[in-house]
Amino acid sequence: MTKNTRMTKQRKAILRVLKNTESHPTADWIYEQVKKEIPNISLGTVYRNLNVLSELGKIQILDYGSTYSRYDGNPKNHYHFRCEKCGRVYDIHIDLFDDINKIVNEKTAFQVNEHRLEFTGLCPICQNEN
Amino acid sequence: MTKNTRMTKQRKAILRVLKNTESHPTADWIYEQVKKEIPNISLGTVYRNLNVLSELGKIQILDYGSTYSRYDGNPKNHYHFRCEKCGRVYDIHIDLFDDINKIVNEKTAFQVNEHRLEFTGLCPICQNEN
DNA sequence: CTATTTGCAAACGCTTTGCCTGATT
DNA sequence: AATCAGGCAAAGCGTTTGCAAATAG
């Protein structure tokens, strides 16, 4: 259970680079930064460690939980629910929180046009499979 | 400007399949469905048409706007802003909307554990580049 | 008629993996 | 010493693309 706990210099460097940036970089960018310090590090090591660090809860990966794109026949904004167990994606039938764009527009320097909101948890089917 | 307007039988079938499903299928699932009707359709045609239909505003693609994964050194939930022009991803420094999980839990049959919220629009840098 | 779209297959590009060597505990 | 991690390169895999033939308008 307690595996992958060796803090090698590669793993430390990757984590430090990621903790010290404001941006949300790609694996390749991280690779280029760490290479300044460990010139012979390989891209595979970067990917492996990013996955390990994510499993350890030290970082997050900002993808859609899958390598597949999913397509939605409804082009209007609406919210989704993704089941953590089976991966199904459902529509959520509630009104949009229209005011949150305004909140961010007022509190930050970003010019917000849209927002996307996704919930995760257990779908009804998987709740009944225990 | 007004291009890609031919409604071929392939394009029609893909759109119909997608409009008539509750799920948010992958391209491959759509391909399998359409093949029942047009057995010699190719997967490339499905992908091409999904992209065309998305540009026409008839459907949405649920990905992160890029094929790259992005990594975040902060493992706690927080919101992001993605610039539509330059693709940069920023943190948004506002409090979490903690109550929306409860709202969905009460109004739907899903068991919500988390939510993810992402805003899109123009970042300060790109706002100044006009 | 002709510009767009298709089918096919190869290419792409990000990510993962196998294998063997090297490092950590 | 035993196990875990790294480097390298090849494989994986969803998606895109080039090209000649087909087709919508």
Side-chain angles (χ1 to χ4, degrees):
Chain A
M1 218 60 182
T2 316
K3 305 167 78 176
N4 297 324
T5 47
R6 287 187 188 171
M7 285 308 284
T8 60
K9 67 172 192 280
Q10 289 88 344
R11 191 165 294 171
K12 274 186 212 157
I14 290 165
L15 185 57
R16 179 163 27 77
V17 164
L18 197 47
K19 291 278 187 191
N20 288 335
T21 181
E22 289 265 317
S23 70
H24 300 74
T26 62
D28 203 65
W29 185 90
I30 296 167
Y31 171 59
E32 292 301 329
Q33 301 308 117
V34 176
K35 214 156 54 167
K36 294 174 184 170
E37 184 180 337
I38 308 172
N40 66 328
I41 195 173
S42 75
L43 185 56
T45 296
V46 173
Y47 275 107
R48 251 187 303 238
N49 277 304
L50 288 168
N51 287 331
V52 169
L53 291 167
S54 162
E55 280 162 25
L56 293 175
K58 292 183 185 297
I59 67 168
Q60 321 185 32
I61 304 179
L62 306 180
D63 61 13
Y64 254 80
S66 160
T67 54
Y68 291 87
S69 289
R70 289 181 169 274
Y71 298 87
D72 189 333
N74 178 0
K76 295 197 301 289
N77 190 18
H78 59 282
Y79 302 147
H80 293 115
F81 178 91
R82 182 158 47 77
C83 182
E84 290 165 357
K85 196 168 167 193
C86 68
R88 288 187 188 86
V89 178
Y90 299 85
D91 285 341
I92 299 228
H93 300 289
I94 59 171
D95 293 335
L96 298 184
F97 300 109
D98 286 317
D99 41 335
I100 63 180
N101 286 2
K102 199 181 296 175
I103 292 174
V104 176
N105 270 322
E106 286 168 2
K107 291 197 176 180
T108 72
F110 300 108
Q111 179 188 312
V112 175
N113 295 332
E114 296 272 2
H115 69 265
R116 177 146 58 169
L117 178 54
E118 186 188 82
F119 297 88
T120 54
L122 285 180
C123 74
I125 296 170
C126 289
Q127 286 172 44
N128 290 329
E129 281 179 0
N130 295 325
Chain B
M1 217 61 181
T2 316
K3 304 167 80 173
N4 296 325
T5 47
R6 286 190 187 169
M7 284 307 282
T8 61
K9 67 171 189 282
Q10 289 88 343
R11 190 165 295 169
K12 274 184 211 159
I14 291 164
L15 185 58
R16 179 163 27 76
V17 164
L18 197 48
K19 291 278 185 190
N20 288 336
T21 181
E22 290 266 318
S23 70
H24 299 73
T26 61
D28 204 64
W29 186 90
I30 297 167
Y31 171 59
E32 292 300 330
Q33 300 309 115
V34 176
K35 212 154 59 164
K36 294 175 185 170
E37 183 180 337
I38 308 172
N40 66 326
I41 194 172
S42 76
L43 186 55
T45 296
V46 172
Y47 275 106
R48 255 188 302 236
N49 276 305
L50 289 168
N51 287 331
V52 169
L53 291 167
S54 163
E55 280 162 25
L56 293 175
K58 291 182 185 297
I59 67 169
Q60 318 185 37
I61 303 179
L62 305 180
D63 61 13
Y64 254 80
S66 160
T67 54
Y68 291 88
S69 289
R70 289 179 170 275
Y71 298 87
D72 189 332
N74 178 1
K76 294 199 301 290
N77 189 18
H78 58 281
Y79 302 147
H80 293 114
F81 178 91
R82 182 159 48 77
C83 181
E84 290 165 358
K85 197 168 167 191
C86 68
R88 288 186 188 88
V89 178
Y90 300 85
D91 284 341
I92 299 230
H93 300 290
I94 60 172
D95 293 335
L96 298 184
F97 300 109
D98 286 316
D99 42 334
I100 63 179
N101 286 1
K102 198 180 298 176
I103 293 174
V104 176
N105 270 322
E106 287 169 1
K107 291 198 176 179
T108 72
F110 300 108
Q111 179 188 313
V112 175
N113 294 331
E114 296 273 2
H115 69 265
R116 176 145 60 168
L117 179 52
E118 186 188 81
F119 296 87
T120 53
L122 286 180
C123 75
I125 297 171
C126 290
Q127 287 172 42
N128 290 329
E129 280 180 1
N130 293 326

